[in-house]
Amino acid sequence: MSVADSCCFRANFHYKVKTHFHLLKSKSPLRRQNILFQKCILAWEEKRRISLLATRARKREQECKLNLKYEKQKEWIHFVGVGGSGLSALALLAVKHGFEVSGSDITWTSFMDGLQQAGVRLHVGHSVSNIQSKNGSRFPNAVVVSSAIPQDNVEILHAKSIGVPVYKRDYWLAKLTEHHKLIAVSGSHGKSTTAGLLAYVLKSMGDDLTAVVGAHVPQFPGGNIIWGDGQHFVLEADEYDGCFLGLAPYIAVITNVEWEHVDIFQDEEAVKTLYRRFLKKIRMGGHLVICGDSLGAYSLLDYTREGTKPEHSIGMMSIPSSDIDGYNVTTYGISSTNEWHASSICPNSQGGSDYVLCHREQPLAEISLQIPGVHNVLNSVAVIATVMALLQDQRQTRELINSLKLHLPNFIGLSRRFELIGEIHGCHIYDDYAHHPTEVYMVLQAARQRFPCKRLLVVFQPHTYRHSLVQYVFVNLLIFIHHARLTFGDFCSRLAVFKDDFAVALSYADYIVVTAVYSVRESGAWNVSGKDLAASIIGPPTEYIPALEDVVDKLALEISKDPLREIVILTLGAGDVNAVGPKLLHELQERLCKAKSKH
């Protein structure tokens, strides 16, 4: 029996000694005294022996605990780029697994607040000292790296030089999920909300699942994770840098496919090629849940296996493809040609949407949501189709539908997804992460749905990506081929590629403010600017105000002139434009207090 095994037993477990005394009968007082003395000696020795055994056992137990503690200290995982939504969730999961966790990023982010509370040792800035103990004698057992971190990062280079294994996020995710029934939610847009809603609904239905979402979910106790011991694992599967190709999902959900991440993909066909590779990772006997209303997504079904085209086309109802690929295909959407679809969509009193859920054109239930927009109707139908594929063998259809109908209305959404910042008089301030033309258009439509009679003012902050020299030359050449109207100075910018599409999407607002480009990760200066975007918007009044502080001052002044005017202010972008809403609200409150004090 090992020391580790023995430390859970009582101290006298190993040696249970029985001592027998045989006293000689004698009438001699001296002999009786000797016998009594011997008895006392033996009893004392026995007591001493038991005490010694107990002391040794306690010492072994303490050594065992120290060894176990030391083993936990040795299991140290360091995350480079821990401030991002994806890696922060993995760091928090590592804490839940009992690892010692540290992390670094170039700047402090909101995700790091939760990590600090969980006991993660955090560093702002990258340095060799981040991955070694104070005396330099101890190093992490592994370093996990975000896809956004360049390979010449000083921590990565040092870890490799001293033999510490370095893993990209895709490999770590693959190892983390390999023993689970993985539901991987992917797509160009909507995957965060869909994954968050799916995890929330399953948890509400009693599933002890694990979930990782690339955004803060207020209804998750872990912020962007749920920690459970069940077999199901809901994951927002990111296509960036091919991260999702290391996964082996039981169910893959694809919300839509469009050209995104211009630093990685040269066009939409390149995006589709990567997604086709992802479909080949679905496990035998699994499911593909795909949006039939997205032409980009549905076109993947024509090439689910190289050289083979299933006999279905866009707009036709889905058929099982298990004979072709080893998994079943389910389509969802708004069109009645999809297996699961929403009909009779209308706004409700909560600011969200009501609709009739249909299966193969047969109405099943009335569904209500408090999150606005047709895009969220699609996200909810994706969740319904996924839950049915996951649990239909365990529960009756009617039971599942009733449970979904009960829990879907309670989901309040994600942070930075049409998130209410505050209200003051007739002014409502919202913030959204939208940073692609399709996302901008959808969130503006959601705002119109919730506030049909209010003036809509949008503050949009464009943003760009950081590129290596090779990416710079290669991607810009391809962008030039596809967009010959661009000049050479326009190359390699998300804004350059999508400028005209942004202009059209933003034109649905009543007034637009465009800020300077958020380019914290991009090196170099590009000729396409926020000013160029503002000039290209046709229709509503548009103003270019580079600095966010000036935007706050400008809006506060205009709103204060007529504080009772009904207006919705919506800040959009993936950068730091989300700081505008809270600052504006504070400034308006200050001005209101001063105005009241004068009267």
Side-chain angles (χ1 to χ4, degrees):
M1 185 176 291
S2 67
V3 171
D5 292 330
S6 67
C7 67
C8 63
F9 296 114
R10 294 190 305 271
N12 62 349
F13 175 81
H14 300 288
Y15 302 97
K16 191 171 183 181
V17 180
K18 292 184 179 180
T19 306
H20 300 276
F21 297 100
H22 179 65
L23 301 179
L24 299 175
K25 293 182 179 181
S26 173
K27 294 182 180 180
S28 169
L30 181 60
R31 187 172 180 85
R32 284 198 301 268
Q33 288 178 6
N34 289 337
I35 292 173
L36 184 60
F37 179 74
Q38 290 175 4
K39 180 180 178 180
C40 291
I41 292 296
L42 290 173
W44 178 80
E45 289 180 347
E46 178 64 15
K47 184 177 180 180
R48 183 173 178 273
R49 182 179 183 183
I50 292 174
S51 176
L52 182 60
L53 291 174
T55 300
R56 290 175 178 174
R58 283 196 298 271
K59 186 177 179 181
R60 283 196 299 269
E61 187 174 353
Q62 291 173 356
E63 289 175 350
C64 177
K65 289 180 179 178
L66 289 173
N67 287 336
L68 291 174
K69 184 178 179 181
Y70 178 67
E71 288 298 322
K72 284 186 179 180
Q73 285 181 339
K74 288 203 302 184
E75 296 298 322
W76 170 17
I77 313 296
H78 180 76
F79 293 84
V80 183
V82 76
S85 59
L87 219 63
S88 62
L90 298 186
L92 196 54
L93 272 184
V95 173
K96 298 294 185 181
H97 278 293
F99 292 106
E100 179 186 347
V101 179
S102 64
S104 62
D105 214 319
I106 192 66
T107 57
W108 189 275
T109 71
S110 59
F111 289 104
M112 295 168 76
D113 295 336
L115 293 176
Q116 188 177 53
Q117 293 174 5
V120 177
R121 190 168 64 255
L122 297 170
H123 308 277
V124 175
H126 299 294
S127 169
V128 170
S129 63
N130 295 343
I131 59 169
Q132 61 186 29
S133 60
K134 291 182 179 180
N135 59 8
S137 62
R138 184 167 169 255
F139 304 96
N141 294 79
V143 171
V144 183
V145 183
S146 166
S147 301
I149 301 297
Q151 289 302 301
D152 60 354
N153 177 275
V154 63
E155 294 176 23
I156 297 174
L157 294 177
H158 185 64
K160 290 180 177 179
S161 70
I162 59 177
V164 174
V166 177
Y167 302 110
K168 291 190 69 174
R169 183 166 64 104
D170 55 352
Y171 178 84
W172 195 257
L173 278 171
K175 300 303 290 182
L176 195 65
T177 60
E178 63 181 349
H179 298 302
H180 288 81
K181 216 172 202 179
L182 175 64
I183 304 101
V185 182
S186 191
S188 300
H189 321 293
K191 54 182 174 286
S192 295
T193 299
T194 303
L197 178 55
L198 174 61
Y200 170 79
V201 167
L202 287 174
K203 184 70 174 177
S204 300
M205 294 170 65
D207 195 325
D208 191 23
L209 79 160
T210 298
V212 172
V213 179
H216 183 267
V217 187
Q219 289 166 294
F220 283 10
N224 55 348
I225 73 165
I226 293 176
W227 168 254
D229 294 321
Q231 64 173 336
H232 296 148
F233 195 123
V234 174
L235 173 69
E236 178 183 339
D238 192 1
E239 77 277 17
Y240 187 83
D241 202 22
C243 186
F244 60 10
L245 294 180
L247 305 173
Y250 173 68
I251 296 180
V253 182
I254 298 183
T255 58
N256 44 63
V257 173
E258 281 193 298
W259 188 18
E260 246 281 46
H261 304 304
V262 300
D263 57 331
I264 297 293
F265 306 110
Q266 63 266 32
D267 55 20
E268 185 170 311
E269 190 55 41
V271 181
K272 292 179 182 178
T273 299
L274 191 72
Y275 271 93
R276 292 181 189 121
R277 292 176 60 192
F278 175 58
L279 297 188
K280 295 179 184 297
K281 304 295 183 178
I282 299 175
R283 297 177 190 176
M284 186 71 65
H287 299 261
L288 169 62
V289 177
I290 192 166
C291 183
D293 292 347
S294 167
L295 298 184
Y298 201 91
S299 67
L300 301 178
L301 299 180
D302 291 334
Y303 301 92
T304 50
R305 195 173 75 177
E306 188 175 347
T308 304
K309 292 188 179 182
E311 294 185 3
H312 52 241
S313 58
I314 294 176
M316 298 299 292
M317 193 173 295
S318 69
I319 60 172
S321 62
S322 55
D323 293 337
I324 299 173
D325 306 292
Y327 56 83
N328 297 309
V329 179
T330 299
T331 61
Y332 72 90
I334 295 174
S335 170
S336 60
T337 57
N338 295 291
E339 182 176 346
W340 291 94
H341 61 278
S343 68
S344 305
I345 303 170
C346 61
N348 60 30
S349 59
Q350 291 183 296
S353 301
D354 292 340
Y355 65 90
V356 176
L357 174 68
C358 301
H359 182 248
R360 298 190 184 276
E361 301 187 59
Q362 297 299 314
L364 292 183
E366 294 183 357
I367 303 296
S368 182
L369 305 172
Q370 64 171 300
I371 48 178
V374 174
H375 61 296
N376 280 320
V377 170
L378 281 171
N379 293 337
S380 69
V381 180
V383 168
I384 292 169
T386 303
V387 170
M388 298 304 295
L390 183 66
L391 302 177
Q392 62 186 353
D393 294 336
Q394 304 172 25
R395 304 188 194 180
Q396 295 294 323
T397 298
R398 177 52 54 187
E399 179 190 355
L400 287 174
I401 294 298
N402 287 339
S403 187
L404 288 162
K405 183 179 177 180
L406 175 66
H407 297 300
L408 284 169
N410 298 326
F411 185 67
I412 64 175
L414 279 59
S415 297
R416 299 219 63 201
R417 302 302 189 276
F418 204 77
E419 179 183 10
L420 176 62
I421 303 302
E423 302 174 10
I424 180 167
H425 288 311
C427 180
H428 305 258
I429 304 173
Y430 284 82
D431 176 62
D432 198 279
Y433 189 70
H435 58 286
H436 183 278
T438 298
E439 296 167 353
V440 170
Y441 172 77
M442 296 306 292
V443 75
L444 291 187
Q445 294 306 303
R448 290 294 189 194
Q449 172 190 324
R450 179 164 286 191
F451 303 104
C453 301
K454 297 184 188 296
R455 187 166 182 257
L456 180 57
L457 190 156
V458 171
V459 179
F460 179 65
Q461 182 188 50
H463 91 285
T464 51
Y465 287 114
R466 180 179 185 267
H467 300 273
S468 67
L469 181 61
V470 174
Q471 287 174 322
Y472 175 82
V473 176
F474 179 68
V475 176
N476 288 331
L477 180 60
L478 292 167
I479 292 174
F480 178 75
I481 293 172
H482 284 82
H483 300 269
R485 64 182 179 275
L486 300 180
T487 66
F488 185 81
D490 294 331
F491 281 164
C492 208
S493 168
R494 155 188 283 272
L495 181 57
V497 175
F498 295 128
K499 179 169 69 69
D500 293 343
D501 297 324
F502 275 126
V504 172
L506 288 166
S507 67
Y508 286 91
D510 295 312
Y511 186 86
I512 303 142
V513 173
V514 181
T515 74
V517 175
Y518 179 79
S519 54
V520 68
R521 284 182 171 178
E522 188 168 45
S523 55
W526 318 113
N527 288 349
V528 177
S529 66
K531 187 176 183 179
D532 297 320
L533 173 59
S536 67
I537 298 174
I538 300 174
T542 304
E543 189 171 359
Y544 173 64
I545 305 177
L548 298 183
E549 294 81 4
D550 294 336
V551 173
V552 173
D553 293 339
K554 169 80 173 181
L555 295 180
L557 179 63
E558 291 297 319
I559 295 170
S560 298
K561 292 178 181 178
D562 186 7
L564 297 179
R565 180 176 52 177
E566 294 291 326
I567 185 172
V568 176
I569 295 177
L570 185 58
T571 58
L572 302 178
D576 57 356
V577 70
N578 61 318
V580 169
K583 290 180 180 178
L584 175 60
L585 183 64
H586 177 74
E587 181 65 25
L588 291 174
Q589 290 169 340
E590 289 285 320
R591 293 183 181 224
L592 180 62
C593 291
K594 290 179 181 178
K596 286 182 177 180
S597 63
K598 289 181 180 179
H599 296 289

